[in-house]
Amino acid sequence: MLQSVKEQARDPRVAALLELSVFPDPEHTERAIAFYEQEKDAELLAYIEKGEMLGIIGFRPGSDNELTITHLAVDPGSRGLGYGRGMLLELMVRERPERVVVETDEEAVDFYRSVGFSVMSLGISAAGLERFHCLYETEDEE
């Protein structure tokens, strides 16, 4: 079940999961935490099962019923068990966007591709890493 942890972004359990979704550097983790403290429209949810925080998903609603995923991470011991996919699907059911977008790196692009996102390379970043734009368009219900 997803529940809001935006107000607990500095909690060590939340911060540790956020750290997994950014370049492993304390400065990047601090920027991610500050993002949720400062951005009124952004939301940060945790997937909690049997009292254990297994993953986090952050997002920001945009114009034209678009949702931007800002952070997504699953605890390393729980990866490959469908929690990332489950968080995305639960978020889409909850928010009902027409489009979901995310910018990611080579490490995560295959995950988004496997969920059904279309993927386009954005080229090599200043840090020397290839970045990707991923888009998922939901189907209209008849």
Side-chain angles (χ1 to χ4, degrees):
M1 163 160 67
L2 290 176
Q3 64 184 58
S4 179
V5 290
K6 181 176 178 171
E7 301 299 320
Q8 293 86 36
R10 291 199 178 273
D11 179 290
R13 297 175 306 157
V14 177
L17 286 168
L18 268 174
E19 183 177 25
L20 295 171
S21 70
V22 296
F23 185 78
D25 176 302
E27 185 177 310
H28 287 109
T29 303
E30 176 57 33
R31 276 193 293 223
I33 292 168
F35 173 79
Y36 294 104
E37 291 175 333
Q38 297 166 8
E39 293 294 324
K40 185 181 116 194
D41 293 337
E43 184 59 76
L44 182 62
L45 306 173
Y47 186 84
I48 299 174
E49 185 176 87
K50 297 179 184 173
E52 293 287 321
M53 191 177 302
L54 302 178
I56 52 107
I57 187 165
F59 68 95
R60 180 177 44 210
S63 61
D64 296 327
N65 204 17
E66 185 173 279
L67 195 83
T68 300
I69 303 296
T70 50
H71 298 94
L72 175 65
V74 175
D75 180 80
S78 299
R79 289 185 182 160
L81 301 174
Y83 291 110
R85 179 183 302 263
M87 286 189 294
L88 270 173
L89 293 175
E90 188 173 332
L91 181 63
M92 284 190 245
V93 167
R94 175 182 154 165
E95 298 295 319
R96 306 182 67 79
E98 291 178 17
R99 283 171 308 291
V100 180
V101 297
V102 63
E103 184 179 317
T104 193
D105 56 22
E106 278 186 276
E107 186 177 330
V109 73
D110 286 336
F111 164 75
Y112 289 103
R113 197 177 274 125
S114 75
V115 176
F117 282 73
S118 59
V119 175
M120 181 181 77
S121 176
L122 296 172
I124 307 299
S125 71
L129 303 171
E130 188 171 12
R131 301 292 296 171
F132 299 89
H133 178 267
C134 305
L135 172 68
Y136 185 90
E137 295 191 79
T138 59
E139 296 177 13
D140 290 335
E141 291 184 21
E142 306 264 340

